[in-house]
Amino acid sequence: MAPDDPVPTLIGSVQRALRLLEAAASHRGGAPAKQLARESRVALPTAYHLLRTLVHEGYVRRERGVYLLAEATEGLAGAAAQQNRRGRIHDALAHCRDVLGVPVYFGVYRDGEIELAAVADSPAHPAIEEWVDFRETGHAHALGQCLLSQLGEKARRDHLHRHPVRYVTPYSVRDEETFLRRLAAVDRMQPVLEHQEYALGTVCAAMPLMAGSTAMAIGFSLPAHQEDRLLPTLARLEREVGKLLGTLGFSISI
């Protein structure tokens, strides 16, 4: 801490409660209050008071004379793990953005909806402006087409019943049956290209990601005048994602 930095105000009871939680976490089968107090260097009367509070708040539970971590603590751990996964996804997208020189998008099909889960762009390579809701126009953009191509026919028709095919640009597919025939011609794990169907002046590509039964996709966009970069950039994206999955342990669970 620099000499001129203010001294932080520390709450001793919070520190002691956290030390008790850390001690409890180190015993999978639980530990009695005396042991937790000793390991956390908290006076036993104080430990009893803090443990009672932690039990009341749902962070620990008492069973057969020992204290174990409870649901609220497990929820914090789960949220932290999910946050870590999201951070890794954002880092991976940023890596692809910097290597490819394009904005990169990550999408998930979850609970019957197309979700744009993460975007990595920059002032030099801005993302497409979402001028029409991405969730409602999956038939028009590459990410949505790639996600829908991974679904079965019934799930596709259910989605289009909720979000009908409609005019977005002069290049968009115009009717449901034409769109369904296009999807039927795409292999489930095949990349998808899109030429100004969602936004005039923009071309896009997306590739599916393997994640069990969950449909996921990663894609990018380019100005239409750089359309000749579409296939080479897609091939490079496939290589970069392969490296991330193979060597960096990139988790696509989100």
Side-chain angles (χ1 to χ4, degrees):
M1 183 181 297
D4 295 331
D5 286 347
V7 177
T9 301
L10 303 179
I11 309 301
S13 59
V14 175
Q15 291 177 308
R16 289 187 285 272
L18 290 173
R19 290 203 299 270
L20 284 168
L21 282 174
E22 290 171 351
S26 68
H27 298 282
R28 297 190 63 180
K34 288 182 179 179
Q35 184 175 357
L36 296 178
R38 183 173 63 253
E39 293 177 358
S40 58
R41 298 181 181 178
V42 174
L44 185 57
T46 301
Y48 277 122
H49 286 300
L50 291 173
L51 286 168
R52 279 196 295 270
T53 302
L54 291 170
V55 168
H56 180 268
E57 297 297 327
Y59 288 97
V60 298
R61 66 182 190 275
R62 189 171 186 270
E63 293 182 2
R64 297 185 297 276
V66 299
Y67 292 88
L68 305 96
L69 295 186
E71 185 175 345
T73 308
E74 293 165 0
L76 288 175
Q82 184 180 49
Q83 188 177 51
N84 182 55
R85 288 194 297 270
R86 288 180 181 272
R88 294 174 71 185
I89 288 171
H90 280 281
D91 289 346
L93 295 186
H95 168 80
C96 292
R97 174 202 63 201
D98 295 341
V99 170
L100 275 59
V102 293
V104 182
Y105 312 83
F106 176 69
V108 182
Y109 195 81
R110 181 158 40 202
D111 298 328
E113 297 292 345
I114 291 169
E115 179 182 333
L116 182 61
V119 179
D121 65 348
S122 67
H125 306 290
I128 300 172
E129 181 181 351
E130 189 177 354
W131 73 282
V132 186
D133 194 326
F134 265 54
R135 294 171 299 177
E136 298 178 2
T137 54
H139 63 282
H141 49 79
L143 205 67
Q145 293 175 26
C146 189
L147 291 170
L148 293 174
S149 73
Q150 299 175 56
L151 306 181
E153 183 178 357
K154 183 179 184 302
R156 293 172 186 173
R157 288 187 179 275
D158 287 346
H159 180 89
L160 296 177
H161 178 73
R162 286 178 284 108
H163 302 296
V165 172
R166 61 189 176 92
Y167 176 89
V168 180
T169 78
Y171 300 92
S172 306
V173 66
R174 298 304 180 91
D175 62 85
E176 181 176 314
E177 292 305 319
T178 300
F179 180 60
L180 288 171
R181 284 196 297 272
R182 179 197 288 187
L183 290 183
V186 177
D187 182 81
R188 185 174 183 269
M189 298 310 294
Q190 180 179 327
V192 172
L193 305 180
E194 173 260 299
H195 303 265
Q196 303 190 75
E197 295 179 46
Y198 176 77
L200 291 176
T202 302
V203 295
C204 303
M207 56 174 282
L209 294 172
M210 293 293 294
S213 60
T214 302
M216 298 186 178
I218 185 170
F220 63 91
S221 58
L222 284 166
H225 69 270
Q226 296 182 18
E227 188 169 351
D228 59 332
R229 290 182 56 199
L230 204 55
L231 288 176
T233 303
L234 176 61
R236 193 167 185 189
L237 176 64
E238 291 177 322
R239 291 195 297 272
E240 291 302 322
V241 170
K243 291 177 188 175
L244 291 168
L245 290 171
T247 63
L248 300 183
F250 169 49
S251 170
I252 57 176
S253 173
I254 186 169

